[in-house]
Amino acid sequence: MDLRRTAAIVGVYEHPTRYAPDKSEQLIIAESIIGALNDAGLEKKDVDALFVAAMPPGITGYGMCDYLNIYPRWVDSTNVGGGSFEFHLSHALTAIAAGRINCAVIAYGSTARSGGVAVGTGGAARWGQARLSPVPDSFEDIYGTTTVGLYAMVAQRHMYEYGTKPEQLAEIAVAMRYHASMNPHAMYRDPITVEDVLSSRIISSPLHLLDCCVISDGGGAVVVASPSLARSTRKKPVWILGVGEGIAHQGGGWRDLLEMAAYQSAPQAFAMAGVTHQDIDMCMIYDSFTITVLLTLENLGFCKRGEGGDFVSGGRLRIDGDLPTNTDGGGLSSNHPGMRGIFLLIEATRQLRGDYAGTPRQTHARRNRAEPPYIALCHGTGGALGSRHSGGTVILARD
Amino acid sequence: MTTQQYKKLLPAISGETRPYWEACKRGELLIQKCQKCGKYQFYPRGFCSHCWANEPPQWVKASGKGKVYTFTVTYQNRSPGYAEEVPYVLALVELEEGVRMFTNILECKPEDVRIGMPVEVVFRKVTDQVTIPYFRPAKA
């Protein structure tokens, strides 16, 4: 069954807040959904499916239906970490193609920053619970694992196997910050240099403070519609060409840590989309840490294993480079409210629609091209590279 | 040392994993080997995750020797007990039998830890009920 262009993103909204101590996570979700429906020119009554994930302890799918006061025919609270929303898009595509639903909203909201959640360095007690499960927590968290530590171990291994340098990881942070400097909502907008990254303090070796994403509040929503509905919405649809899902874990104690879930999800997405890497005009790659971007690019197949360090050098990921990536400033500089996958879909959609016409963020103008990018790839990673994680690849194309 | 003094997280022990933790108290590191497919697995489970055999895997004594597969020197962890101990080395050790386990590397300076470094298990009694396996540089 050819699923290409059987569903489209027709509305997006990124909540502008980065700090919202007086809002609930639910309100941020509701405001984001309303914003995305406004963007699409659709209304509450059009929505027949809800896809939502939240940070633990978290809100539930049915609880969110109660708060929103809706009775959707499809609820999906798949939670595979920060990249859950790429999985949601994959599931929404399938549900729409099967004729089960016409209009889905995918949404996220979080008060990780104002709630004081040390997402990356809180260890197992960051959600307040200090009781471990017998497996696998009791074999891991007792040793003081942190999220950043679990990514740092992968960075260390990559450096050992391939000679990847801290300077190369730093280039990623520098490019993201450059993009953030053009994003009025970004949390950090002052340009930085490779030297700034390397001289920032080590959080968990070999990762520095500026190798790590920010912690913000925030949220966003995406409206996904059937082709018939997509033809009546306010803005041009952004079509889903291909999706793929993958999980990577320890494999009973044997897995090669440098093989990500992306290695499994990307071939599915490319095969479904019927495109190659040369066709991808821009990327949105989940950037929890600089190493996440480097390793994801390798596992997606943009370069060979071990060549990520060279690949990200020389400004390739900059908006005016060969592969513009995270043009909103990413999690490293714009926002990271605990989970970030929703923003990958939002920014890719805005770029493909040409929403940034007349601004420095207009990707194609910066690359001396006449038209907006035609095809974007989004890849969400959830969980931790060093223990277990998910990967969802999405390939989108404009009308 | 009593539970009150030990501020770090304690493992929760269930029937599935009790032999492992009991062995730690005796100074033995146990891993599991499937009676059907013959593969080792770690962390321990009540079944073989490799082949889903009907019979549970056997507990076998590991040599306790291995090498550092990867590591990180942790400078920031907000959790009680760990916050006071930074910088500490979080590592994945590859045992001689092939499986990898999370651990800390003790009895050496964090800056001296290297990938590939030979290490050996060392046990620390942290409460009357719990003894935890760690690793240290292998004695020559």
Side-chain angles (χ1 to χ4, degrees), chain A residues 118 120-126 129-136 138-146 148-150 152-157 160-161 201-207 250-258 386-388, chain B residues 6 8-14 16-17 20-21 39-45 49-50 59 68-80 82 88-92 94 97-104 115-116 132-134:
Chain A
T121 62
R126 65 192 182 283
Q129 108 274 4
R131 286 173 61 89
L132 302 179
S133 64
V135 285
S138 293
F139 294 86
E140 299 173 8
D141 294 339
I142 59 168
Y143 296 112
T145 54
T146 61
V148 55
L150 291 168
M153 292 169 91
V154 172
Q156 193 88 266
R157 184 74 197 180
Y160 172 80
E161 285 195 30
R201 65 191 166 91
I202 299 271
I203 302 296
S204 197
S205 70
L207 299 180
Q250 295 169 51
W254 294 91
R255 189 181 176 98
D256 171 2
L257 273 189
L258 301 186
S387 55
R388 55 198 66 81
Chain B
Y6 187 72
K8 297 203 280 192
L9 295 163
L10 286 167
I13 299 169
S14 68
E16 189 178 12
T17 60
Y20 176 88
W21 296 109
K39 288 185 183 168
Y40 291 106
Q41 78 176 0
F42 197 88
Y43 50 91
R45 275 158 263 208
S49 67
H50 297 299
W59 292 98
V68 174
Y69 174 76
T70 190
F71 71 97
T72 180
V73 183
T74 306
Y75 288 87
Q76 187 170 317
N77 182 341
R78 306 288 193 197
S79 292
Y82 302 93
Y88 61 85
V89 179
L90 172 69
L92 267 171
E94 185 172 299
E97 293 80 5
V99 289
R100 299 183 198 128
M101 61 182 286
F102 282 92
T103 191
N104 300 128
I115 289 177
I132 294 176
Y134 299 94

Side-chain angles (χ1 to χ4, degrees), chain B residues 25-89:
Chain B
K25 291 189 202 172
R26 303 192 302 267
E28 292 181 3
L29 181 67
L30 298 190
I31 58 175
Q32 293 178 312
K33 185 174 188 179
C34 178
Q35 303 172 64
K36 187 180 171 198
C37 74
K39 288 185 183 168
Y40 291 106
Q41 78 176 0
F42 197 88
Y43 50 91
R45 275 158 263 208
F47 68 103
C48 172
S49 67
H50 297 299
C51 74
W52 292 2
N54 289 320
E55 295 300 313
Q58 283 182 319
W59 292 98
V60 295
K61 187 179 170 185
S63 74
K65 296 186 187 307
K67 57 191 179 184
V68 174
Y69 174 76
T70 190
F71 71 97
T72 180
V73 183
T74 306
Y75 288 87
Q76 187 170 317
N77 182 341
R78 306 288 193 197
S79 292
Y82 302 93
E84 297 89 324
E85 288 209 351
V86 297
Y88 61 85
V89 179

Side-chain angles (χ1 to χ4, degrees), chain A residues 82-170:
Chain A
S84 296
F85 314 95
E86 281 64 43
F87 282 66
H88 291 168
L89 193 75
S90 167
H91 301 174
L93 165 72
T94 305
I96 289 171
R100 302 272 310 269
I101 60 173
N102 272 313
C103 179
V105 290
I106 304 171
Y108 178 69
S110 167
T111 52
R113 181 182 174 199
S114 57
V117 181
V119 180
T121 62
R126 65 192 182 283
W127 314 120
Q129 108 274 4
R131 286 173 61 89
L132 302 179
S133 64
V135 285
D137 301 3
S138 293
F139 294 86
E140 299 173 8
D141 294 339
I142 59 168
Y143 296 112
T145 54
T146 61
T147 301
V148 55
L150 291 168
Y151 282 80
M153 292 169 91
V154 172
Q156 193 88 266
R157 184 74 197 180
H158 201 276
M159 290 175 172
Y160 172 80
E161 285 195 30
Y162 300 110
T164 306
K165 297 180 178 65
E167 291 83 351
Q168 293 171 320
L169 290 177

